[in-house]
Amino acid sequence: MAKLAADVYAEALFALAVEKNSTDEWAEQIKTAELAFSENPDFLELLTHPKITREEKLSVVEKVFGGRFDDALTGLLTVIVEKGRCGEIPAVFRNFLDKVREYRKIGAASVVSATELTDVQKRRIEEKLLSQTDYKSFEMQYFVDASLIGGMKIRIGDRVVDATVKSKLDRMAGSMMS
């Protein structure tokens, strides 16, 4: 249910951003707010604390965001506080930024490999992904996991391509067991 509410808030904000032609500006503001929340976890704790009144929470939101962010963003945070959904603010931010990326045709991919990839390998992976998808560009994240033995695992959204030696060995072991 919580995910559903975060999606509803993000979708409403995104629709308004498109209508006002403000997706880029609002995405930057939300990234700034997201950073503020991640660097100051006590801030979210304050907004979700049951002993702090709704009025005090609204005052804090207005002091922190009012005048620094677009009125629509501050208004959304106000609505979230009024509805008692402060714990969902990070999910709303994430969902909004995901919608903006999709709107701009920017994919988000994570690549896990057994060893560090070179810049040339990274460029080839991105080029291959661009040629096989409708995205114009990718925000790439690279991770190293030596337990994979070799190969790599690529995730784009809910799609996963697992070409690791570890997964091949696991499949072989499974087929030998049956």
Side-chain angles (χ1 to χ4, degrees):
M1 187 65 156
K3 184 176 182 340
L4 179 62
D7 282 339
V8 169
Y9 288 124
E11 183 62 42
L13 185 63
F14 177 73
L16 187 59
V18 169
E19 180 183 309
K20 291 188 169 206
N21 199 25
S22 299
T23 54
D24 293 341
E25 176 188 343
W26 290 8
E28 288 308 311
Q29 290 180 15
I30 284 184
K31 286 178 188 175
T32 301
E34 193 175 46
L35 184 63
F37 275 97
S38 69
E39 288 179 349
N40 303 294
D42 291 343
F43 184 53
L44 187 58
E45 189 175 320
L46 176 126
L47 291 177
T48 57
H49 198 284
K51 291 191 177 182
I52 297 175
T53 68
R54 185 165 287 149
E55 291 73 27
E56 291 171 315
K57 292 174 185 180
L58 289 169
S59 174
V60 168
V61 165
E62 184 57 40
K63 285 177 185 171
V64 172
F65 296 101
R68 292 182 185 95
F69 290 81
D70 190 281
D71 290 343
L73 297 177
T74 305
L76 172 74
L77 291 171
T78 300
V79 169
I80 291 172
V81 170
E82 288 173 349
K83 297 291 184 183
R85 299 257 189 201
C86 295
E88 296 182 44
I89 291 172
V92 172
F93 289 166
R94 236 183 351 268
N95 292 351
F96 176 82
L97 293 173
D98 288 346
K99 290 175 188 315
V100 170
R101 266 195 303 277
E102 284 296 318
Y103 181 72
R104 294 179 183 164
K105 296 241 181 246
I106 299 171
S110 66
V111 178
V112 183
S113 59
T115 60
E116 187 71 35
L117 299 173
T118 66
D119 289 341
V120 171
Q121 290 170 318
K122 290 176 181 179
R123 191 174 62 250
R124 284 185 184 151
I125 291 168
E126 188 172 354
E127 288 170 357
K128 185 74 169 178
L129 293 176
L130 287 170
S131 72
Q132 294 184 351
T133 64
D134 293 331
Y135 293 116
K136 294 178 182 175
S137 66
F138 272 95
E139 291 178 359
M140 304 289 293
Q141 291 184 310
Y142 294 94
F143 305 97
V144 175
D145 180 356
S147 74
L148 299 179
I149 304 168
M152 68 182 72
K153 186 187 306 186
I154 301 172
R155 177 183 300 275
I156 302 171
D158 59 355
R159 295 177 289 179
V160 177
V161 176
D162 190 343
T164 61
V165 173
K166 182 181 185 302
S167 70
K168 290 177 185 176
L169 290 172
D170 289 346
R171 284 192 302 270
M172 284 176 31
S175 68
M176 288 175 38
M177 298 293 267
S178 57

